[in-house]
Amino acid sequence: QVQLVESGGGLVQPGGSLRLSCAASGRIFNIYAMGWYRQGPGKQRELVANITSSSITYYTDSVKGRFTISRDNAKNTVHLQMNSLKPEDTAVYYCNVGTSSGMTYWGKGTPVTVSS
């Protein structure tokens, strides 16, 4: 059984920072991409950032220059450093892992609230 355990969400003031982490465990092989999606109130789930096994990264336009994604292949972990947070970053953030065989796994989500 594969588990993705997220941590690091919470309440932060505008301009603040948070670091999200996700650890994948269980029978998961040949991880290709690891990333983060988010779903804000009344919005569709969107891809925020991802990183491949060869460290190619993608960021949605609204977070470029503010968020940084990184991963530790040996530990099957992925992190999202979020700086200069804005109220519009408020959402539930979901960890996502994809394998080279086409399997996709999701975490349960960690809430991020940006508010003064």
Side-chain angles (χ1 to χ4, degrees):
Q1 186 176 358
V2 174
Q3 277 193 319
L4 302 184
V5 179
E6 300 132 328
S7 60
L11 173 64
V12 64
Q13 292 186 342
S17 298
L18 285 174
R19 179 177 168 86
L20 304 183
S21 296
C22 173
S25 62
R27 295 181 60 81
I28 185 167
F29 305 103
N30 300 318
I31 293 176
Y32 175 64
M34 303 183 79
W36 294 90
Y37 284 70
R38 68 185 179 187
Q39 187 165 16
K43 298 181 181 179
Q44 290 188 329
R45 189 175 296 191
E46 65 168 346
L47 174 62
V48 177
N50 67 8
I51 182 168
T52 69
S53 53
S54 53
S55 298
I56 297 171
T57 58
Y58 164 86
Y59 296 94
T60 194
D61 285 345
S62 62
V63 308
K64 286 180 181 177
R66 301 188 297 122
F67 291 10
T68 302
I69 192 168
S70 60
R71 66 186 278 179
D72 184 331
N73 291 331
K75 296 181 179 179
N76 286 343
T77 57
V78 62
H79 308 283
L80 186 67
Q81 178 67 43
M82 305 187 295
N83 298 329
S84 302
L85 282 161
K86 304 176 181 180
E88 50 263 44
D89 295 317
T90 294
V92 178
Y93 284 70
Y94 297 90
C95 179
N96 174 270
V97 170
T99 71
S100 56
S101 61
M103 299 295 291
T104 300
Y105 302 96
W106 292 90
K108 294 183 179 180
T110 184
V112 171
T113 303
V114 185
S115 175
S116 55

